[in-house]
Amino acid sequence: MAIETMTTALPISFFPFLLLVPAIFFTICHANSNLLCVPSEREALLKFKNHLIDPSNRLSSWVEGGDCCKWIGVVCLNLTGHVHQLHLAAPLSPYEQSALGGKINPSLLELNHLSTLDLSNNNFSSIHIPKLFGLLESLTYLNLSRAQFQGAIPHNLGNLSKLQYLDLRGNDLISESLQWVSGLSSLQYLDLSYANLSKATDWLQVTFKHPSLLELHLSACILEDDPHLISVNSSKSLAVLDLSWNSLSSVPKSISSLHGLVSIDLRFNSLDGRIPDYFGNISFLEVLDLHQNSLNSSIPNSLFCLNHLRFLHLSSPIPDYFGNISFLEVLDLSWNHLNSSIPNSLYSLNRLQLLSLWYTWLQGTISSAIGNLSSVTHLDLSENQLNGQIPLSIGELSSLKLFDVSKNQLNGQIPMSIGQLSSLEVFDVSENQLNGTFPLSFGRLESLETLDCGYNLLGVVSETHFSNLTRLTTLAASHNRLRFELNSSWIPPFQCEWIDLGHWHLGPKFPQWLKFQKKLSYLDISYAGISDVMPTWFLNLPTQFKHLNLSSNQLRGEISYLNVRNIVDLSSNRFIGPLPRVSPTLLFLMLSNNSFSGSLFELLCNSSSTKRMEILYIDKNLISGDIPDCWNHWQNLNLLNLGSNSLTGKIPPSLWHLNLIMLNLRNNTMFGELPSTLQNSPNLVMFDLSENHFSGRLPAWIGDKLSNLVILSLRSNNFDGHIPHKICDIQFLQNLDLAHNNISGVIPKCFNNLSAMATTNKTNNFVFVKYVDADSFTLGLVTSMDLSANSLTGEIPKEIGSLVGLLSLNFSGNLLTGNIPDSIGNMELMESLDLSMNRLNGEIPPSFSNLNFLNHFNNCSSKGIPIDVANNGSSREGSKVNWLYVSIVLGFVMGFWGVVAPLFFIRSWRHAYYRKLDHVGRKLYVSWATMGM
Ligand SMILES: *[C@@H]1O[C@H](CO)[C@@H](O)[C@H](O)[C@H]1NC(C)=O
Ligand SMILES: *[C@@H]1O[C@H](CO)[C@@H](O)[C@H](O)[C@H]1NC(C)=O
Ligand SMILES: *[C@@H]1O[C@H](CO)[C@@H](O)[C@H](O)[C@H]1NC(C)=O
Ligand SMILES: *[C@@H]1O[C@H](CO)[C@@H](O)[C@H](O)[C@H]1NC(C)=O
Ligand SMILES: *[C@@H]1O[C@H](CO)[C@@H](O)[C@H](O)[C@H]1NC(C)=O
Ligand SMILES: *[C@@H]1O[C@H](CO)[C@@H](O)[C@H](O)[C@H]1NC(C)=O
């Protein structure tokens, strides 16, 4: 019989702290071939199966007439053949769609001996937990976690008096009272995380007083404070208490009577005030997690007596003294405002295995005493303001697996001693100022012997650094000032999965040593000064990349196929030939600024590569011909930039079926009118058709239907007609460029409704974040309006003066008449104003003395004429100015596409936080986070 063995040992594992997990044995009765299952139970199982939906046919072995004890997931009792366990959890793989769904048939009730039922990770798409589970009297183990159940938890589950283990985590459940839990008189493990228990005000009474419960997880249950003090029978009480991600504002006082506690997790609540002293009485405490609360005290002295404490995760200052807790194995103070230097006390924690001080505003240097942390395997000091050098003593941390000091201000050379860290798996020094100055300040003179002549080459990382790093999987050192000085025949001793050497000096030859990296999944060697033909072996590497960034080098040659799963960036190189074929899973394809030629047809129409693609940039190439009408399958495309090619023809109708956020067709030779189907693209934020031959009237609906526009540029086309008043309704519009068309009529008075131009509050710039899932957009945008070189008539409306956010205004080259409105003097941010080549008359309004930029106006402007308002607003009273030529242009560069177009993959804090929690899963996670997969 495979009976669950309850392990009562308390494993110290860094993260999920699981106690009492029954050992799961799939004893499929292979030893006893005579054993056949009980026929009535076989019928019951088949009936159960028939009501399930099993898209991946996981239960294919469940067939009529078979020995049900041999079926997948079924475990029988050895002697009687009764079904004892059903293990039907779906594998947790994002790629495998093997969740069971459908209905749960009451035939299960015929399995009188069923002791274990595991249906976790399936998808019962929002049915309630069936009441019949409460009738399975023999159950000792019930796991329905993450199975998409919904609604109230049936109270009759409380009848399962033999149940020891109940896991309902991660469903969409609600319970208004936990009284039913009292009925579970054998219960040892309870997980109701993510259920809504906001109305279950008895949660604390029931769970703390429960006679057998050892492990309780009520994470993210919307729990609020319960001020009751519960008296607990001290002989039997909880060992593991997880109340993380709730709304508790104080630590429940009753915790002080739970003397058996070994682990307390109160992360992500709203606890404020001091860390309670009585934690010091919980003498067997091993794990204390109070991270992300508003507790403002430092660690109370009582805690220093806890000589079992192994894991401490706090948002508190680092103490100067660690007392008995110097046995700490895990100290995580990350994401915290320590704002200090690393205190010396820390370097004495020589049992530490994990030290995370990520994002804690640390300053100062890393002491060479870091070499004392002889047990440390994970050292994360990233995202601080640490300066100075990486101490040579780092080489003494012989167990080190992860070393992350990225995003600091460290300088000097990467110490040679890194080469001794033969356990090292993750090495991340990116975004520092490492350059290779001779490490004079290192105190340890004997080490100088190891500093061989390699150091004569300042700023050089030499291959000897890596010779012992055979386990390295992540090498990240981008954004420093480092150079690789390698023998061209170097064969790296490691097989990395992640290499990020962007902004290194790797060139001019393509790094040959990458040939030997058989597991590479992420490669960034952008801005690396490589000027070479793209080697064929690289394109034929056996692995599939997830992320490949070769941008901003001088790579040449043709590329026929790119085997990359998620992101490709080849922009700013010198690739030629037809556009490459890409993998059907690709999300971002960036080929800007190369010399790719030929038509778009193959890529758009003949490939299956379209379903997932979100970003396609092929601007600044030599692509010619029409844009084919093949966009129907590009459902996920958000950003499309085909600017500065030689495209011609009309915009194909299928393009308007996409949910585009950005469309840039600037600088081609396309023509035609704006079709009414353009109204189907209400999410457009940037719309740029400038420098083409488009024609026709500006449609009136543009303000109604494209109400999210931030940038509208139709410059240098043949548009005619009037400026529709509806444009004034586009509340986010920051950049309106209709220059060089044939637009006539007057400048609408309602322009003062353009609220994004009428505010000086540039936080509106972040409007983009709203539209791009992955928080991946930053937008630095010059607020401007250019209506120059049209046939606009009438006066300049005084309402224009309300657009105080404008940095640039150009009405030149029209037929405008009358005076300059005085209100223009209100536009204090203005840096460029051009009203020349109109029929304006009158004087410069006195208010112009408010225009700040005039204070540093220089005479060099080619179009402008010097005017004397700069220093003394009143002196030009009465002076006559030839308004034909008033143009005041500062050295102000408009080219906003240069500012807007680059994508920055800024991860939200939350993503970054999770990335840090799990360094192992990090590569995968970063990809997910940035792509919203
Ligand atoms: C049941 O039989 C299997 C296979 O022979 C064996 O591995 C298992 O230990 C047995 N269980 C018990 C409780 O005897
Ligand atoms: C569960 O199934 C429903 C219905 O088939 C589906 O809409 C939903 O997306 C699925 N959920 C998950 C997490 O797979
Ligand atoms: C590599 O390890 C060997 C043996 O442990 C050691 O002698 C050598 O100095 C190490 N190399 C480097 C570069 O640290
Ligand atoms: C390296 O950086 C340090 C500190 O920033 C600087 O003083 C030194 O001149 C740099 N050395 C080289 C070779 O660039
Ligand atoms: C327009 O595109 C052509 C190539 O078709 C390019 O040479 C030119 O520089 C582009 N102009 C601008 C302003 O980008
Ligand atoms: C700027 O706008 C943001 C959001 O629109 C608002 O939260 C903030 O208070 C504003 N700041 C000022 C100085 O008006």
Side-chain angles (χ1 to χ4, degrees):
M1 293 216 317
I3 288 180
E4 304 91 290
T5 43
M6 295 291 178
T7 78
T8 43
L10 295 168
I12 284 293
S13 54
F14 293 153
F15 293 113
F17 198 94
L18 265 195
L19 174 69
L20 305 174
V21 181
I24 295 170
F25 297 120
F26 287 80
T27 48
I28 320 266
C29 311
H30 46 278
N32 188 345
S33 53
N34 299 327
L35 184 83
L36 280 178
C37 72
V38 179
S40 64
E41 297 195 354
R42 178 173 51 224
E43 293 317 306
L45 285 174
L46 285 173
K47 211 167 182 184
F48 173 63
K49 173 192 172 173
N50 287 341
H51 287 81
L52 292 177
I53 300 169
D54 180 11
S56 64
N57 216 3
R58 262 167 66 208
L59 304 184
S60 57
S61 59
W62 291 34
V63 288
E64 208 78 52
D67 179 357
C68 71
C69 295
K70 290 183 176 152
W71 291 353
I72 185 106
V74 180
V75 176
C76 296
L77 289 168
N78 281 359
L79 297 178
T80 59
H82 285 297
V83 175
H84 186 227
Q85 305 183 4
L86 281 181
H87 296 282
L88 300 176
L92 261 182
S93 155
Y95 307 113
E96 230 176 303
Q97 300 286 316
S98 51
L100 300 171
K103 297 222 160 54
I104 292 167
N105 193 272
S107 64
L108 267 191
L109 292 175
E110 311 211 357
L111 307 175
N112 287 323
H113 299 263
L114 191 66
S115 153
T116 291
L117 179 58
D118 185 350
L119 295 174
S120 57
N121 306 329
N122 287 300
N123 182 356
F124 292 100
S125 50
S126 309
I127 63 171
H128 287 219
I129 293 181
K131 286 206 171 68
L132 69 93
F133 289 152
L135 304 171
L136 294 166
E137 290 171 359
S138 308
L139 279 187
T140 59
Y141 177 98
L142 179 59
N143 189 347
L144 305 178
S145 59
R146 295 180 214 87
Q148 313 286 330
F149 286 111
Q150 198 202 35
I153 302 174
H155 287 190
N156 77 335
L157 285 185
N159 298 341
L160 298 172
S161 59
K162 294 183 184 159
L163 200 66
Q164 297 174 353
Y165 184 103
L166 178 59
D167 189 352
L168 303 181
R169 159 183 286 261
N171 290 291
D172 185 12
L173 299 172
I174 183 165
S175 197
E176 304 203 338
S177 157
L178 289 192
Q179 205 49 52
W180 57 275
V181 172
S182 316
L184 298 166
S185 53
S186 308
L187 197 66
Q188 300 187 26
Y189 179 103
L190 177 63
D191 191 341
L192 300 179
S193 299
Y194 300 91
N196 179 349
L197 303 183
S198 58
K199 298 231 170 79
T201 50
D202 55 354
W203 68 270
L204 191 141
Q205 310 256 356
V206 170
T207 56
F208 282 27
K209 286 187 106 142
H210 194 283
S212 56
L213 200 59
L214 290 173
E215 181 160 353
L216 175 65
H217 295 271
L218 298 178
S219 178
C221 290
I222 324 181
L223 297 178
E224 288 173 16
D225 294 317
D226 183 340
H228 291 97
L229 201 57
I230 315 290
S231 63
V232 178
N233 170 2
S234 59
S235 69
K236 188 85 186 114
S237 80
L238 280 173
V240 175
L241 177 61
D242 170 7
L243 300 176
S244 57
W245 297 89
N246 280 297
S247 311
L248 303 176
S249 64
S250 64
V251 178
K253 286 203 183 59
S254 312
I255 284 185
S256 61
S257 59
L258 298 173
H259 295 292
L261 278 175
V262 171
S263 168
I264 300 176
D265 186 351
L266 290 164
R267 268 176 306 160
F268 290 92
N269 276 282
S270 318
L271 306 177
D272 57 16
R274 294 179 47 78
I275 299 177
D277 268 334
Y278 55 73
F279 283 138
N281 301 338
I282 306 174
S283 46
F284 293 101
L285 199 61
E286 296 185 17
V287 174
L288 180 58
D289 196 337
L290 300 174
H291 192 58
Q292 284 305 305
N293 283 289
S294 311
L295 293 164
N296 55 17
S297 66
S298 64
I299 302 177
N301 285 341
S302 63
L303 279 193
F304 296 119
C305 304
L306 292 173
N307 53 15
H308 291 271
L309 202 60
R310 303 274 181 273
F311 178 111
L312 195 53
H313 191 185
L314 295 177
S315 321
S316 305
I318 308 177
D320 292 330
Y321 161 77
F322 279 93
N324 283 349
I325 58 172
S326 59
F327 295 116
L328 274 184
E329 289 168 6
V330 176
L331 181 61
D332 186 349
L333 303 176
S334 53
W335 204 19
N336 205 338
H337 209 115
L338 296 179
N339 209 5
S340 66
S341 55
I342 303 177
N344 287 329
S345 57
L346 208 67
Y347 299 118
S348 63
L349 296 175
N350 58 7
R351 303 279 184 99
L352 268 188
Q353 292 171 20
L354 183 149
L355 175 60
S356 180
L357 298 173
W358 161 68
Y359 196 63
T360 48
W361 299 76
L362 287 177
Q363 301 143 5
T365 59
I366 305 174
S367 158
S368 64
I370 194 113
N372 298 344
L373 298 176
S374 52
S375 311
V376 88
T377 58
H378 291 66
L379 182 59
D380 186 349
L381 305 176
S382 60
E383 296 188 49
N384 285 297
Q385 289 142 29
L386 296 170
N387 52 43
Q389 295 171 338
I390 301 174
L392 209 53
S393 59
I394 208 80
E396 291 161 26
L397 305 181
S398 57
S399 311
L400 203 59
K401 290 184 180 159
L402 178 143
F403 179 66
D404 189 350
V405 290
S406 59
K407 299 192 184 158
N408 279 289
Q409 289 146 26
L410 299 169
N411 53 41
Q413 186 145 5
I414 298 176
M416 206 63 130
S417 58
I418 290 288
Q420 295 158 19
L421 301 176
S422 54
S423 306
L424 201 61
E425 292 167 17
V426 177
F427 179 69
D428 191 347
V429 295
S430 26
E431 297 184 50
N432 280 288
Q433 290 147 25
L434 297 170
N435 66 358
T437 320
F438 191 85
L440 280 177
S441 63
F442 289 173
R444 307 169 58 89
L445 276 182
E446 75 272 26
S447 312
L448 281 177
E449 287 165 22
T450 65
L451 302 178
D452 61 17
C453 51
Y455 276 89
N456 292 334
L457 304 161
L458 290 182
V460 168
V461 173
S462 74
E463 58 205 78
T464 54
H465 267 84
F466 298 116
S467 60
N468 283 351
L469 303 185
T470 54
R471 303 204 182 153
L472 206 62
T473 60
T474 297
L475 172 58
S478 63
H479 294 89
N480 282 291
R481 279 171 275 156
L482 293 161
R483 273 196 301 141
F484 234 140
E485 189 83 356
L486 292 177
N487 187 329
S488 63
S489 61
W490 182 53
I491 300 181
F494 47 76
Q495 290 290 340
C496 271
E497 290 158 29
W498 179 292
I499 291 183
D500 181 359
L501 302 178
H503 294 259
W504 277 47
H505 198 278
L506 296 173
K509 287 260 166 275
F510 196 91
Q512 291 290 317
W513 55 273
L514 289 175
K515 197 187 286 188
F516 306 102
Q517 297 300 295
K518 307 275 190 234
K519 296 183 177 165
L520 209 49
S521 153
Y522 180 109
L523 178 66
D524 184 342
I525 46 172
S526 58
Y527 295 92
I530 303 170
S531 174
D532 201 351
V533 176
M534 180 83 151
T536 332
W537 60 257
F538 183 78
L539 295 170
N540 294 331
L541 282 176
T543 50
Q544 190 186 39
F545 287 102
K546 286 208 175 87
H547 181 129
L548 178 64
N549 185 352
L550 304 177
S551 64
S552 301
N553 285 291
Q554 289 172 30
L555 288 162
R556 305 185 296 273
E558 295 195 20
I559 298 182
S560 57
Y561 178 64
L562 281 164
N563 187 16
V564 179
R565 190 182 172 86
N566 294 328
I567 297 183
V568 169
D569 189 350
L570 302 183
S571 24
S572 300
N573 279 289
R574 296 182 181 169
F575 291 115
I576 57 168
L579 292 168
R581 286 179 303 117
V582 294
S583 146
T585 57
L586 201 64
L587 295 168
F588 298 178
L589 178 59
M590 292 173 269
L591 304 174
S592 315
N593 202 11
N594 279 288
S595 300
F596 287 111
S597 57
S599 88
L600 290 169
F601 190 81
E602 280 295 316
L603 179 72
L604 296 195
C605 310
N606 270 3
S607 74
S608 54
S609 57
T610 57
K611 290 232 161 61
R612 281 162 44 108
M613 187 102 67
E614 293 173 14
I615 296 183
L616 179 60
Y617 286 0
I618 316 182
D619 55 305
K620 303 198 198 78
N621 277 285
L622 306 171
I623 308 296
S624 54
D626 290 2
I627 301 180
D629 195 11
C630 291
W631 297 95
N632 288 324
H633 298 296
W634 292 68
Q635 300 101 334
N636 285 315
L637 197 69
N638 287 149
L639 310 181
L640 176 61
N641 189 348
L642 300 174
S644 296
N645 281 289
S646 306
L647 294 166
T648 180
K650 296 186 176 181
I651 300 179
S654 60
L655 194 62
W656 305 121
H657 296 150
L658 306 181
N659 185 15
L660 287 177
I661 293 173
M662 168 181 133
L663 177 62
N664 184 357
L665 301 175
R666 164 183 278 250
N667 190 18
N668 282 288
T669 50
M670 299 183 64
F671 52 83
E673 302 194 356
L674 293 181
S676 60
T677 40
L678 169 57
Q679 299 180 58
N680 298 337
S681 298
N683 293 326
L684 269 177
V685 172
M686 298 191 223
F687 185 45
D688 189 345
L689 300 184
S690 53
E691 297 170 57
N692 279 287
H693 305 306
F694 291 106
S695 58
R697 300 174 71 85
L698 298 181
W701 44 257
I702 207 158
D704 276 345
K705 299 295 178 178
L706 304 185
S707 59
N708 290 308
L709 282 177
V710 174
I711 296 165
L712 175 59
S713 182
L714 303 176
R715 183 188 187 87
S716 298
N717 280 289
N718 302 321
F719 288 108
D720 54 29
H722 295 182
I723 299 175
H725 280 69
K726 290 281 185 193
I727 279 191
C728 304
D729 297 341
I730 309 182
Q731 57 166 327
F732 302 119
L733 195 65
Q734 287 185 49
N735 206 292
L736 176 62
D737 189 348
L738 305 177
H740 294 269
N741 279 289
N742 302 322
I743 296 169
S744 55
V746 298
I747 298 174
K749 287 193 166 64
C750 64
F751 268 1
N752 60 349
N753 292 344
L754 290 168
S755 43
M757 296 186 183
T759 172
T760 54
N761 185 349
K762 292 302 165 197
T763 49
N764 284 336
N765 278 350
F766 290 103
V767 68
F768 269 77
V769 174
K770 210 162 86 186
Y771 300 104
V772 180
D773 285 347
D775 299 3
S776 60
F777 241 99
T778 56
L779 178 61
L781 180 59
V782 169
T783 308
S784 69
M785 182 185 290
D786 191 346
L787 306 180
S788 62
N790 278 292
S791 307
L792 295 168
T793 51
E795 300 199 355
I796 298 176
K798 66 177 188 309
E799 288 79 4
I800 285 291
S802 311
L803 302 181
V804 292
L806 283 183
L807 273 73
S808 168
L809 179 64
N810 191 347
F811 287 164
S812 68
N814 279 289
L815 306 167
L816 300 171
T817 50
N819 291 318
I820 306 275
D822 198 40
S823 60
I824 285 190
N826 301 336
M827 304 168 86
E828 293 186 8
L829 297 184
M830 188 81 79
E831 295 186 4
S832 165
L833 172 64
D834 192 345
L835 305 175
S836 64
M837 294 188 280
N838 276 294
R839 297 172 183 173
L840 299 166
N841 50 47
E843 297 175 354
I844 295 177
S847 64
F848 268 39
S849 58
N850 298 334
L851 293 176
N852 285 329
F853 74 95
L854 291 180
N855 294 331
H856 37 94
F857 169 64
N858 71 44
N859 302 351
C860 307
S861 163
S862 55
K863 276 202 279 178
I865 54 162
I867 48 175
D868 62 347
V869 293
N871 300 318
N872 184 344
S874 57
S875 74
R876 82 234 132 352
E877 199 79 27
S879 69
K880 293 284 178 197
V881 174
N882 182 349
W883 284 105
L884 260 179
Y885 289 105
V886 173
S887 164
I888 304 160
V889 183
L890 267 189
F892 169 89
V893 184
M894 256 273 299
F896 61 83
W897 282 114
V899 183
V900 171
L903 269 178
F904 296 101
F905 303 133
I906 290 188
R907 306 176 283 271
S908 70
W909 284 124
R910 191 152 163 177
H911 286 150
Y913 181 67
Y914 281 112
R915 173 174 76 96
K916 289 295 173 178
L917 275 189
D918 183 2
H919 283 285
V920 185
R922 150 183 185 149
K923 280 136 260 175
L924 207 61
Y925 200 84
V926 172
S927 317
W928 289 14
T930 55
M931 284 167 250
M933 267 167 45

